[in-house]
Amino acid sequence: MSNQMWGGRFASGPDAIMEEINASIGFDFRLWRQDIAGSRAHVAMLAQAGIVSEADAGAILEGLDEVAREIESGKFSFSRALEDIHMNIESRLAELIGPAAGRLHTARSRNDQVALDFKLWVRDTIDDLDVQLADLQQALVDKAQEYAGAVMPGFTHLQSAQPVTFGHHLLAYVEMISRDRGRFRDARGRLNECPLGAAALAGTSFPIDRDATARALGFDRPTANSLDSVSDRDFVLETLAAAAIAATHLSRFAEEIVLWTTPQFGFVALSDKFTTGSSIMPQKRNPDAAELVRGKSGRIIGDLAAMLIVMKGLPLAYSKDMQEDKEGCFDSLQSLSLCVAAMAGMVRDMTPRVERMKAAAGSGYATATDLADWLVRALGLPFRRAHHVTGQIVAMAAEAGLELEQLTLAQLQAIEPAIGVEVFEALGVENSVRSRTSYGGAAPENVRLQARAWAQRLAGEKKD
Ligand code: ARG
């Protein structure tokens, strides 16, 4: 049997393999709410413009309500022979209300329909992700406030560099996530033009009102070029790019959690909630959730690459290749959502081991820069000279197997005679971190201020 929706010129039905490669209902069923919302706006506009009668429009709207109820309640039976969500819904509508259903598709094509549905879905999903990302920021800010003064080693090259605080470290991720939210917001702003009414590719001869449908569906305006309307998937690419960058941030953080929870680092502990045991090694507690966040970033980045590759060779306007836009996008955004939730859970669950971190912060001559700065400030040495003197002192300490503050004044003076006893104040990690008061620096008072500012900003967002 030929396809009832478009099979007029076809004598027989598709080969089984054709049906399998062609059908998208297995994944685009997720667009059903958006498809029905788009059809409602479209038919209301058709009636307004006198293109279909009020009676037919009324029957179509009631029929669409019934279809929505059937899908919602799980009663709807999706058919692969009907290819996709658009034709599944329209065909059921025809069963329910008869020939009037055939008027719904006036001045519309599946090409503008699918562009619309997918835009609406991506827009909804961006809104959900924003709420989740804000929640992750909140978890980080709460911990940062609690541990604003907890000293930990700051690293460069993963070598102990200078002491920072745990709160400062966490707030770095709050900044990253803020940029992620901004990227999603930007993508949302640009996608918010309505493609409905572009029809197959050239627009339509019916006197449709594209401003009305755009407004009814919450868009800022209709898209301006019909070819672009049906062939544009920038909204998918931009959203996947934002997702890939966000996933990269989460992956870096996950990697730190993996490191921090090793017995060798021991900077934080995770509870049973976010770890698993080993079936053979009873002592183990594995940070699987963090590892999976790190691992899932791979597919999220891959989904972006796949979509870029799908699009890069396509002539205008719609090509069926574009049906491949959906699975990767669903996969990416669902994976990201799960990763964000897992990270928020781990942040709330983690217990920083303050003494461990502080001890680590003091080892490895992490206050050598403070000594050099002190030589500049207290003795007026040029920084290059101070750097050299400090290097000699570090070498002596390393030789003796001592930390800087364990050296005697006499030992220090053997290298630089002008050093006085006040130097010891510069050598402790607490003093070191307290001195980092430049804007954006690691001093606990800065961290407290920044954390409070973020808490206020997040609370303000919730009110709007
Ligand atoms: N299932 C299709 C997709 O996802 C809908 C658009 C089909 N358009 C067409 N002319 N065959 O892209």
Side-chain angles (χ1 to χ4, degrees):
M1 204 183 62
S2 73
N3 187 295
Q4 24 169 331
M5 311 303 285
W6 48 249
R9 63 161 290 187
F10 287 74
S12 68
D15 190 89
I17 291 297
M18 176 59 192
E19 189 178 295
E20 186 172 345
I21 196 171
N22 201 31
S24 53
I25 189 63
F27 46 90
D28 69 13
F29 70 89
R30 285 181 185 79
L31 304 179
W32 70 268
R33 282 178 210 282
Q34 291 77 13
D35 195 72
I36 287 177
S39 289
R40 296 182 64 88
H42 184 63
V43 75
M45 179 278 293
L46 292 178
Q48 263 298 316
I51 301 167
V52 304
S53 71
E54 289 290 346
D56 284 344
I60 289 170
L61 287 170
E62 271 177 38
L64 288 171
D65 282 348
E66 176 56 19
V67 173
R69 274 192 295 274
E70 289 181 6
I71 300 179
E72 185 94 74
S73 66
K75 275 199 296 219
F76 192 95
S77 88
F78 292 101
S79 148
R80 198 168 80 173
L82 288 165
E83 278 183 48
D84 56 25
I85 187 63
H86 324 294
M87 296 201 293
N88 268 270
I89 288 177
E90 200 187 318
S91 160
R92 179 65 186 141
L93 184 68
E95 285 172 8
L96 290 168
I97 70 165
R103 300 194 187 277
L104 169 60
H105 213 51
T106 313
R108 186 176 78 169
S109 150
R110 269 191 296 155
N111 296 349
D112 58 339
Q113 191 177 357
V114 73
L116 169 67
D117 292 4
F118 203 23
K119 270 194 173 181
L120 289 172
W121 187 90
V122 170
R123 196 176 72 180
D124 290 346
T125 306
I126 287 177
D127 291 343
D128 293 345
L129 270 171
D130 187 63
V131 173
Q132 272 198 288
L133 288 166
D135 179 61
L136 174 55
Q137 285 184 307
Q138 186 69 58
L140 288 161
V141 167
D142 291 344
K143 271 271 147 63
Q145 274 179 318
E146 202 178 332
Y147 294 95
V151 179
M152 74 178 279
F155 299 92
T156 61
H157 313 265
L158 199 55
Q159 307 285 324
S160 269
Q162 294 175 359
V164 296
T165 77
F166 192 64
H168 195 56
H169 196 111
L170 296 184
L171 288 185
Y173 285 99
V174 174
E175 297 291 333
M176 290 180 232
I177 295 163
S178 170
R179 292 194 294 274
D180 291 327
R181 293 178 67 195
R183 270 181 284 273
F184 280 117
R185 206 158 40 235
D186 290 348
R188 190 198 195 285
R190 259 187 304 280
L191 79 66
N192 211 29
E193 295 186 341
C194 185
L196 186 62
L201 76 164
T204 175
S205 58
F206 291 98
I208 57 172
D209 181 352
R210 293 194 58 208
D211 288 304
T213 43
R215 219 177 308 117
L217 293 163
F219 288 99
D220 298 329
R221 62 192 79 84
T223 48
N225 179 294
S226 63
L227 289 170
D228 180 50
S229 307
V230 294
S231 66
D232 166 41
R233 291 296 181 271
D234 288 1
F235 65 98
V236 183
L237 291 171
E238 287 192 44
T239 305
L240 291 184
I245 297 172
T248 301
H249 292 152
L250 299 187
S251 180
R252 295 179 75 177
F253 191 17
E255 164 70 2
E256 295 195 316
I257 292 175
V258 170
L259 288 171
W260 291 347
T261 52
T262 56
Q264 290 76 6
F265 271 81
F267 286 4
V268 305
L270 288 173
S271 80
D272 299 357
K273 288 196 211 165
F274 286 96
T275 51
T276 62
S278 157
S279 51
I280 180 169
M281 298 164 282
Q283 85 284 9
K284 291 199 76 182
R285 180 188 284 287
N286 298 325
D288 292 34
E291 293 168 86
L292 285 163
V293 168
R294 190 176 58 186
K296 281 181 192 293
S297 65
R299 60 200 276 177
I300 295 171
I301 293 164
D303 289 327
L304 168 63
M307 187 61 195
L308 286 165
I309 296 163
V310 165
M311 293 307 293
K312 76 176 185 57
L314 298 186
L316 302 189
Y318 178 86
S319 296
K320 195 64 173 259
D321 313 46
M322 288 161 71
Q323 180 165 286
E324 290 292 315
D325 60 359
K326 290 174 204 66
E327 283 166 291
C329 184
F330 294 147
D331 178 63
S332 165
L333 300 185
Q334 276 161 15
S335 301
L336 182 62
S337 166
L338 187 55
C339 290
V340 175
M343 289 311 283
M346 279 187 278
V347 170
R348 294 198 165 96
D349 183 58
M350 66 172 58
T351 311
R353 296 169 65 189
V354 177
E355 287 309 318
R356 274 295 291 231
M357 287 197 286
K358 189 173 160 187
S363 70
Y365 309 108
T367 56
T369 316
D370 297 280
L371 175 55
D373 286 351
W374 183 88
L375 293 169
V376 172
R377 230 179 308 115
L379 305 185
L381 298 190
F383 183 76
R384 284 289 161 221
R385 170 84 196 128
H387 185 286
H388 189 77
V389 168
T390 304
Q392 289 178 301
I393 292 173
V394 167
M396 177 178 67
E399 179 90 348
L402 297 170
E403 294 297 335
L404 291 180
E405 65 267 41
Q406 293 170 325
L407 294 170
T408 63
L409 187 58
Q411 282 173 306
L412 293 168
Q413 286 173 338
I415 288 172
E416 173 50 65
I419 292 178
V421 69
E422 321 82 65
V423 73
F424 288 104
E425 269 172 40
L427 297 181
V429 287
E430 304 270 6
N431 289 324
S432 162
V433 86
R434 217 177 300 133
S435 74
R436 299 288 193 263
T437 52
S438 57
Y439 179 73
E445 63 177 290
N446 277 13
V447 176
R448 262 177 222 111
L449 278 176
Q450 297 271 10
R452 195 167 330 128
W454 269 114
Q456 277 164 3
R457 189 163 149 187
L458 292 169
E461 281 176 10
K462 264 191 211 135
K463 265 187 244 133
D464 310 334

